[in-house]
Amino acid sequence: MKKALLLFLILLSSNVIFAAISPKEKEALIKLYHATGGQQWKVKWDLNATVTAWYGVKIQDDKVVALDLSDNNLTGKIPSEISNLVNLQLLNLHKNQLTGDIPQSLGKLKLLRVLNLSFNQLFGSIPTSLCQLESLNTLELYMNALSGNLPARLGQLQKLETLSLFSNELTGEIPISLYELKGLKTLMLNSNKLVGSLSKDVQNMVFLENLSLFDNNMNGQIPVELRKLNHLKEMNLSYNKFNGFVSKDLALLDIMNMTMLNEKGLAVALKVNSDRNSAIVSED
């Protein structure tokens, strides 16, 4: 019995030893800890303990594959060394107090499927390097202070299903490449400063379920091609400067009934065509 117990303890200790991650990955985690005020986190790391015991760190085959430190009182800036966690599939830093730019180096995390940096105080532009994350399924950067244009090459993220960038200070037009994301299900760009029109190429997003452009400065006619999106369940285009007529079907999808702002800044409802099965575009 004693020999069996001893053998079990030896095997257990061996597993702990072999569960060690690479020194470079451990250094990246320690850098993140110090750069984001680890001593003030809600759940702290004991740097003397094995990494497998560190809160929010998931290790698989001796590699860090997920890091979830959401709502953990992280402050300061995201260090560029985080890109040394090259096996990350999920990075979730939602609802903290992070500031500064989003590091360009995140584009090196080629296996990343989920990137959530929402509900922080990040500023600057969205790094173009994020467009290199071809495995990305979910990109959530909402409720920050991000500015500048949307990256022109967003269309490279062909596996993307969720893009949530609302409540920032983003400007410019929706890049043409965005309409190439045929697998996109959720597109949330509301409460920014976007301009320009909504392209009829939106019909390419055949799996789109939720479309929100609410509270921007977009204009032009609402494309009738929206009616071809059979999976669309919720839409909010209100409080822009769109004009013309819309079909009753589209008007019913909009949770604020297609209420727009005119040249004087007054709220006005778009005219609805009485025929549910067609849409008329205004010549005005």
Side-chain angles (χ1 to χ4, degrees):
M1 186 68 181
K2 289 183 179 179
K3 290 183 178 179
L5 179 60
L6 180 60
L7 180 60
F8 173 76
L9 291 174
I10 290 173
L11 290 173
L12 182 62
S13 61
S14 298
N15 286 336
V16 172
I17 292 171
F18 289 122
I21 62 174
S22 71
K24 199 167 187 179
E25 285 185 300
K26 185 173 182 179
E27 288 172 10
L29 291 173
I30 293 174
K31 178 69 176 180
L32 175 68
Y33 185 79
H34 290 307
T36 58
Q39 289 298 317
Q40 308 303 320
W41 288 4
K42 292 181 181 179
V43 183
K44 305 175 182 62
W45 289 345
D46 179 356
L47 300 184
N48 294 316
T50 175
V51 178
T52 55
W54 292 3
Y55 172 77
V57 179
K58 181 180 179 181
I59 297 176
Q60 184 176 310
D61 297 328
D62 302 338
K63 301 171 183 176
V64 180
V65 296
L67 183 58
D68 187 348
L69 296 171
S70 55
D71 195 14
N72 201 38
N73 198 38
L74 275 67
T75 59
K77 299 181 179 181
I78 303 172
S80 60
E81 289 86 351
I82 199 170
S83 63
N84 289 331
L85 300 172
V86 293
N87 300 292
L88 269 188
Q89 298 175 27
L90 178 147
L91 176 58
N92 186 357
L93 303 179
H94 165 76
K95 199 178 181 183
N96 283 290
Q97 300 178 52
L98 296 167
T99 60
D101 296 330
I102 298 174
Q104 284 277 358
S105 62
L106 288 181
K108 298 178 181 179
L109 301 177
K110 302 300 185 182
L111 302 180
L112 206 60
R113 296 178 183 176
V114 176
L115 177 58
N116 188 344
L117 305 179
S118 61
F119 215 141
N120 280 284
Q121 300 164 27
L122 299 169
F123 53 79
S125 59
I126 298 174
T128 56
S129 63
L130 297 188
C131 299
Q132 301 170 17
L133 303 176
E134 296 181 356
S135 297
L136 206 60
N137 173 274
T138 300
L139 177 58
E140 297 182 299
L141 306 176
Y142 61 86
M143 295 188 74
N144 279 290
L146 299 172
S147 57
N149 293 353
L150 296 171
R153 294 183 293 169
L154 275 172
Q156 293 179 192
L157 303 176
Q158 284 296 307
K159 294 185 179 180
L160 203 63
E161 294 185 5
T162 298
L163 179 61
S164 293
L165 307 177
F166 63 87
S167 295
N168 279 289
E169 301 290 328
L170 298 170
T171 56
E173 300 186 12
I174 295 176
I176 292 298
S177 72
L178 184 64
Y179 300 108
E180 299 172 9
L181 299 179
K182 296 181 180 180
L184 202 65
K185 295 180 180 179
T186 298
L187 178 58
M188 307 281 286
L189 300 177
N190 49 288
S191 300
N192 280 289
K193 298 179 179 178
L194 299 175
V195 298
S197 60
L198 178 62
S199 171
K200 65 180 181 179
D201 290 336
V202 70
Q203 67 183 309
N204 296 334
M205 299 177 174
V206 292
F207 294 105
L208 200 61
E209 298 175 2
N210 191 340
L211 171 63
S212 183
L213 302 175
F214 168 79
D215 189 24
N216 279 288
N217 294 309
M218 298 184 69
N219 55 28
Q221 296 168 344
I222 294 176
V224 296
E225 286 79 8
L226 279 172
R227 295 183 59 253
K228 298 180 181 180
L229 301 179
N230 296 325
H231 295 278
L232 199 59
K233 300 174 183 177
E234 186 174 333
M235 178 177 70
N236 194 346
L237 308 183
S238 291
Y239 283 82
N240 281 282
K241 297 178 180 177
F242 291 121
N243 56 53
F245 286 77
V246 291
S247 70
K248 186 174 292 186
D249 290 338
L250 288 181
L252 289 173
L253 275 178
D254 191 287
I255 60 177
M256 296 192 72
N257 300 313
M258 295 288 185
T259 301
M260 302 298 163
L261 297 176
N262 63 16
E263 294 78 8
K264 298 179 181 179
L266 300 176
V268 294
L270 283 189
K271 296 178 181 179
V272 177
N273 179 37
S274 58
D275 184 358
R276 293 180 61 92
N277 298 316
S278 64
I280 299 176
V281 177
S282 171
E283 295 290 332
D284 297 334

